[in-house]
Amino acid sequence: GELLESALEAATQSEAESQRLRSRLSNHGEFQLLLRALEMRLQAANDAHSQAVVLAEVAQVLDSAFGRSDEAFDRWLQAIRLIPESATFHESALRLARRRRRLNEYVQALRELATNMRRRQDSDLVASLLLRAGQVTETELSDLDAASEFYRLVESTGHRVVEAWLALARISGSRGEHAESIRFLERALGVEGLESEVRLEALYRLAELRMASREGLTRAVALLKQALELRPQYDRAAQMLQPAVRLDPSNEELQSLYERVARATGNDTLIFDYLEQRTQRDSTSIKELREAVDYAMALGQEERSEGLLKRAFEVARKMPDGTHDVLWALKNLADRREAAGDVRGAMVRLQQAIEL
């Protein structure tokens, strides 16, 4: 007993001695004694950093060895109040807050800390705390109004404003407030020296929003081209472009970008979609129609392939040197009719070919 008391007393005087004793106690499963040693070391610690480190260890022991998770969470909050910039402490506290359903308390602690730090005029740390509170409120508590309030407070600090704008754009988008979302994203992209990852995401998101209306298509195409140059995400781009080309079928720049993206995906369905809607335009070519028919057949789209062949027949018939292509279209139309059991329809197409 006396030996143990002596060891515990020595451990309070030296961090190195304390670490050795705590390690020995932990290895032997003497968690009650370990907790006592930590509490003694905590009382002896004379600076915020040392106190916070011991509090973090106390929290870990309370949770893992004794299952006293609520007490552990309280200790994590104490540690965070001493070192509010520690991401590790915040992550540990958040994990316990989720498990013990104490997320509101965690957010409230962040709010109070931010208020205290504001008095010390530490704007960067204030912004980080408010941003963290906003993220938890948005993603964990699904309270978009409260999260927006936190993000606007971040904006008011003048620090980490781009992250706040992107978050506000995300919330506005989820509410269907697209004009507001566009406003925040445009502001973010106007900042010089933006991190490449942040810029990339903002470009894709803004391009998608702009592409939802005909009047925004020109700006959307420019944004999407920038995004694709930074890092191609062809599947994502194709999802935006597929409905957009139908808003303005005469927009050549948009059509060209859709073709480039569709072909880059290697997705036959997308390539066929581009070709099929392209062939409905007056300026379509027999080359495009032949390719569209090939894709339709490869995808098992018999009915659509027949429609494209009829279109090819009409286009080729108006060409000065279109006889070869007219015959190609008629022969294939006859084959489709025969395959469908429509012998009469097949004969009509063959007769048209003979008359040429």
Side-chain angles (χ1 to χ4, degrees):
E2 285 184 21
L3 192 61
L4 175 61
E5 289 298 325
S6 176
L8 288 169
E9 184 61 34
T12 63
Q13 307 304 317
S14 161
E15 176 58 28
E17 188 61 37
S18 177
Q19 286 281 13
R20 278 194 292 273
L21 176 62
R22 278 141 56 187
S23 178
R24 230 170 16 246
L25 291 171
S26 179
N27 290 338
H28 287 85
E30 296 286 352
F31 296 113
Q32 196 65 54
L33 286 172
L34 173 59
L35 204 54
R36 186 179 167 195
L38 286 167
E39 294 291 358
M40 290 177 71
R41 181 60 189 160
L42 181 61
Q43 290 175 13
N46 53 17
D47 65 272
H49 183 271
S50 299
Q51 290 170 356
V53 169
V54 177
L55 280 165
E57 197 170 342
V58 170
Q60 290 167 346
V61 172
L62 284 169
D63 186 34
S64 61
F66 296 99
R68 289 153 61 181
S69 303
D70 284 313
E71 290 177 64
F73 175 69
D74 293 336
R75 294 307 177 101
W76 279 120
L77 289 187
Q78 286 179 270
I80 286 170
R81 289 186 182 104
L82 292 169
I83 309 183
E85 64 272 20
S86 171
T88 304
F89 287 2
H90 280 288
E91 285 159 17
S92 297
L94 181 55
R95 277 196 296 272
L96 266 182
R98 282 194 199 103
R99 195 179 348 136
R100 301 304 301 165
R101 299 186 180 182
R102 295 179 68 178
L103 286 164
N104 282 306
E105 287 178 64
Y106 174 62
V107 169
Q108 182 58 31
L110 292 175
R111 188 194 293 272
E112 290 169 3
L113 267 173
T115 301
N116 292 338
M117 292 300 111
R118 196 186 291 273
R119 292 195 193 103
R120 298 186 204 173
Q121 297 186 327
D122 193 342
S123 297
D124 189 46
L125 182 54
V126 169
S128 297
L129 291 166
L130 291 170
L131 196 60
R132 193 180 288 277
Q135 289 163 346
V136 173
T137 306
E138 178 191 357
T139 61
E140 307 275 353
L141 297 173
S142 301
D143 186 342
L144 299 186
D145 289 339
S148 294
E149 181 191 334
F150 279 121
Y151 294 138
R152 289 186 185 280
L153 286 170
V154 173
E155 188 181 15
S156 72
T157 68
H159 292 261
R160 302 188 71 171
V161 290
V162 170
E163 289 166 272
W165 289 338
L166 292 174
L168 286 164
R170 184 174 58 247
I171 288 176
S172 298
S174 68
R175 287 170 164 165
E177 299 167 355
H178 298 312
E180 189 75 349
S181 190
I182 286 169
R183 186 173 70 84
F184 283 119
L185 288 168
E186 290 282 14
R187 288 173 75 180
L189 284 172
V191 174
E192 288 187 20
L194 206 58
E195 280 181 34
S196 60
E197 287 297 319
V198 174
R199 181 173 180 77
L200 182 73
E201 184 59 25
L203 282 168
Y204 275 113
R205 283 169 62 188
L206 186 53
E208 185 174 14
L209 287 168
R210 288 284 189 193
M211 217 165 271
S213 66
R214 182 170 176 147
E215 54 273 20
L217 289 176
T218 300
R219 173 74 172 142
V221 168
L223 290 163
L224 188 52
K225 283 182 175 178
Q226 289 180 55
L228 290 167
E229 282 174 20
L230 274 177
R231 187 190 302 158
Q233 294 180 14
Y234 291 118
D235 288 335
R236 184 178 184 180
Q239 286 178 359
M240 303 177 202
L241 288 162
Q242 193 170 14
V245 291
R246 287 156 173 83
L247 291 176
D248 187 2
S250 63
N251 189 320
E252 287 292 345
E253 194 175 14
L254 183 63
Q255 290 284 343
S256 175
L257 184 57
Y258 185 34
E259 179 182 16
R260 171 188 154 196
V261 167
R263 292 190 188 280
T265 65
N267 184 318
D268 287 353
T269 302
L270 278 174
I271 298 169
F272 175 56
D273 180 71
Y274 159 73
L275 288 166
E276 188 176 37
Q277 59 83 30
R278 182 75 179 83
T279 56
Q280 301 310 307
R281 299 181 60 189
D282 292 339
S283 59
T284 192
S285 67
I286 281 293
K287 182 182 176 184
E288 288 170 338
L289 281 156
R290 280 178 173 267
E291 188 180 11
V293 169
D294 288 342
Y295 272 98
M297 292 303 295
L299 292 166
Q301 297 289 339
E302 299 286 342
E303 191 174 329
R304 289 158 82 179
S305 73
E306 194 163 346
L308 287 162
L309 284 165
K310 289 175 183 176
R311 173 79 172 133
F313 170 68
E314 294 299 331
V315 169
R317 205 165 53 156
K318 296 172 186 174
M319 294 164 52
D321 56 348
T323 304
H324 176 71
D325 293 306
V326 169
L327 288 171
W328 165 78
L330 288 171
K331 180 186 179 303
N332 278 279
L333 280 167
D335 290 344
R336 299 295 182 279
R337 289 294 83 219
E338 185 180 2
D342 179 10
V343 177
R344 182 179 175 79
M347 290 302 292
V348 169
R349 292 302 184 182
L350 289 174
Q351 187 61 40
Q352 286 178 294
I354 291 166
E355 289 171 2
L356 286 173

